[in-house]
Coordinates of all heavy atoms in Angstrom, one line a residue:
I235 N 20.6 -38.4 -78.8 CA 20.3 -39.0 -77.6 C 20.7 -38.1 -76.4 O 19.9 -37.9 -75.5 CB 20.9 -40.4 -77.4 CG1 20.2 -41.4 -78.4 CG2 20.8 -41.0 -76.0 CD1 20.8 -42.7 -78.6
V236 N 22.0 -37.6 -76.5 CA 22.5 -36.8 -75.4 C 21.7 -35.5 -75.2 O 21.3 -35.2 -74.1 CB 24.0 -36.5 -75.6 CG1 24.5 -35.5 -74.6 CG2 24.8 -37.8 -75.4
V237 N 21.5 -34.8 -76.3 CA 20.7 -33.6 -76.2 C 19.3 -33.8 -75.7 O 18.8 -33.1 -74.9 CB 20.7 -32.9 -77.6 CG1 19.8 -31.7 -77.6 CG2 22.1 -32.4 -77.9
G238 N 18.7 -34.9 -76.3 CA 17.3 -35.3 -75.9 C 17.2 -35.5 -74.4 O 16.4 -35.0 -73.7
A239 N 18.2 -36.3 -73.9 CA 18.2 -36.7 -72.5 C 18.4 -35.4 -71.6 O 17.7 -35.3 -70.6 CB 19.3 -37.7 -72.2
G240 N 19.3 -34.5 -72.1 CA 19.5 -33.3 -71.4 C 18.2 -32.5 -71.3 O 17.9 -32.0 -70.2
L241 N 17.6 -32.4 -72.4 CA 16.3 -31.6 -72.4 C 15.3 -32.2 -71.5 O 14.6 -31.5 -70.7 CB 15.7 -31.6 -73.9 CG 16.1 -30.4 -74.7 CD1 15.5 -30.6 -76.1 CD2 15.6 -29.1 -74.1
Y242 N 15.2 -33.5 -71.5 CA 14.3 -34.2 -70.7 C 14.5 -34.0 -69.2 O 13.7 -33.6 -68.4 CB 14.3 -35.7 -71.0 CG 13.5 -36.5 -70.0 CD1 12.1 -36.6 -70.2 CD2 14.1 -37.2 -68.9 CE1 11.3 -37.3 -69.3 CE2 13.3 -37.9 -68.0 CZ 11.9 -37.9 -68.2 OH 11.2 -38.6 -67.3
L243 N 15.8 -34.1 -68.9 CA 16.2 -33.8 -67.5 C 15.9 -32.4 -67.0 O 15.4 -32.2 -65.9 CB 17.7 -34.1 -67.2 CG 18.1 -35.6 -67.1 CD1 19.6 -35.7 -66.9 CD2 17.3 -36.2 -66.0
Q244 N 16.1 -31.5 -68.0 CA 15.8 -30.1 -67.6 C 14.4 -29.9 -67.4 O 14.0 -29.2 -66.4 CB 16.3 -29.2 -68.8 CG 16.6 -27.8 -68.3 CD 17.1 -26.9 -69.5 OE1 17.5 -27.5 -70.5 NE2 17.0 -25.6 -69.3
L245 N 13.6 -30.5 -68.3 CA 12.1 -30.3 -68.1 C 11.7 -31.0 -66.8 O 10.9 -30.4 -66.1 CB 11.4 -31.0 -69.3 CG 11.3 -30.2 -70.6 CD1 10.6 -31.0 -71.7 CD2 10.4 -29.0 -70.3
A246 N 12.2 -32.2 -66.5 CA 11.9 -32.9 -65.3 C 12.2 -32.0 -64.1 O 11.5 -31.9 -63.1 CB 12.6 -34.2 -65.2
G247 N 13.4 -31.3 -64.2 CA 13.8 -30.4 -63.2 C 12.8 -29.3 -62.9 O 12.6 -28.9 -61.8
Q248 N 12.2 -28.8 -64.0 CA 11.2 -27.8 -63.9 C 9.9 -28.3 -63.3 O 9.2 -27.5 -62.6 CB 10.9 -27.1 -65.3 CG 12.0 -26.2 -65.7 CD 11.9 -25.8 -67.2 OE1 11.0 -26.3 -67.9 NE2 12.8 -25.0 -67.6
V249 N 9.7 -29.5 -63.4 CA 8.4 -30.1 -62.9 C 8.6 -30.4 -61.4 O 7.6 -30.2 -60.7 CB 8.1 -31.4 -63.7 CG1 6.9 -32.1 -63.0 CG2 7.7 -31.1 -65.1
T250 N 9.8 -30.7 -61.0 CA 10.0 -31.1 -59.6 C 9.5 -30.1 -58.6 O 8.8 -30.5 -57.6 CB 11.5 -31.5 -59.4 OG1 11.9 -32.3 -60.4 CG2 11.6 -32.2 -58.0
P251 N 9.8 -28.8 -58.8 CA 9.4 -27.8 -57.7 C 7.9 -27.9 -57.4 O 7.6 -27.8 -56.2 CB 9.8 -26.5 -58.3 CG 10.8 -26.8 -59.3 CD 10.6 -28.1 -59.8
A252 N 7.1 -28.1 -58.4 CA 5.7 -28.2 -58.1 C 5.3 -29.5 -57.3 O 4.3 -29.5 -56.6 CB 4.9 -28.3 -59.4
E253 N 6.2 -30.4 -57.3 CA 6.0 -31.6 -56.6 C 6.6 -31.6 -55.2 O 6.5 -32.5 -54.4 CB 6.5 -32.9 -57.3 CG 5.7 -33.2 -58.5 CD 6.4 -34.0 -59.5 OE1 7.5 -34.5 -59.2 OE2 5.9 -34.3 -60.6
K254 N 7.3 -30.5 -54.9 CA 7.9 -30.3 -53.6 C 6.8 -30.4 -52.5 O 5.7 -29.9 -52.7 CB 8.6 -29.0 -53.5 CG 10.1 -29.0 -53.8 CD 10.7 -27.7 -53.4 CE 12.2 -27.7 -53.6 NZ 12.7 -26.4 -53.4
K255 N 7.2 -31.0 -51.3 CA 6.2 -31.1 -50.3 C 6.2 -29.8 -49.5 O 7.2 -29.5 -48.8 CB 6.5 -32.3 -49.4 CG 5.4 -33.3 -49.3 CD 5.8 -34.4 -48.3 CE 4.6 -34.7 -47.4 NZ 5.0 -35.5 -46.3
I256 N 5.1 -29.0 -49.6 CA 5.1 -27.7 -48.9 C 4.0 -27.7 -47.8 O 2.9 -28.2 -48.1 CB 4.7 -26.6 -49.9 CG1 5.7 -26.6 -51.1 CG2 4.7 -25.2 -49.2 CD1 7.0 -26.1 -50.9
L257 N 4.3 -27.3 -46.6 CA 3.3 -27.1 -45.6 C 2.8 -25.7 -45.6 O 3.6 -24.8 -45.4 CB 4.0 -27.5 -44.2 CG 3.0 -27.5 -43.0 CD1 2.1 -28.7 -43.1 CD2 3.8 -27.6 -41.7
R258 N 1.5 -25.5 -45.8 CA 0.9 -24.2 -45.9 C 0.5 -23.7 -44.5 O -0.3 -24.4 -43.8 CB -0.3 -24.2 -46.8 CG 0.1 -24.5 -48.3 CD -1.1 -24.8 -49.1 NE -1.9 -25.8 -48.5 CZ -3.1 -26.1 -48.8 NH1 -3.8 -25.3 -49.7 NH2 -3.8 -27.1 -48.2
V259 N 1.2 -22.7 -44.0 CA 1.0 -22.2 -42.6 C 0.3 -20.9 -42.6 O 0.7 -19.9 -43.2 CB 2.4 -22.0 -42.0 CG1 2.2 -21.6 -40.5 CG2 3.2 -23.3 -42.1
G260 N -0.9 -20.8 -41.9 CA -1.6 -19.6 -41.8 C -1.2 -18.9 -40.5 O -1.1 -19.5 -39.5
T261 N -1.1 -17.5 -40.6 CA -0.7 -16.7 -39.5 C -1.2 -15.3 -39.6 O -1.5 -14.9 -40.7 CB 0.8 -16.8 -39.2 OG1 1.0 -16.3 -37.8 CG2 1.6 -15.9 -40.1
S262 N -1.4 -14.6 -38.5 CA -1.8 -13.2 -38.5 C -0.6 -12.4 -37.9 O -0.4 -12.4 -36.7 CB -3.0 -13.1 -37.6 OG -3.3 -11.8 -37.4

Side-chain angles (χ1 to χ4, degrees):
I235 290 172
V236 168
V237 170
L241 266 178
Y242 172 80
L243 282 179
Q244 204 179 342
L245 276 178
Q248 281 167 0
V249 170
T250 314
E253 288 161 4
K254 265 192 178 174
K255 238 184 132 192
I256 307 285
L257 185 69
R258 295 166 306 161
V259 182
T261 197
S262 170

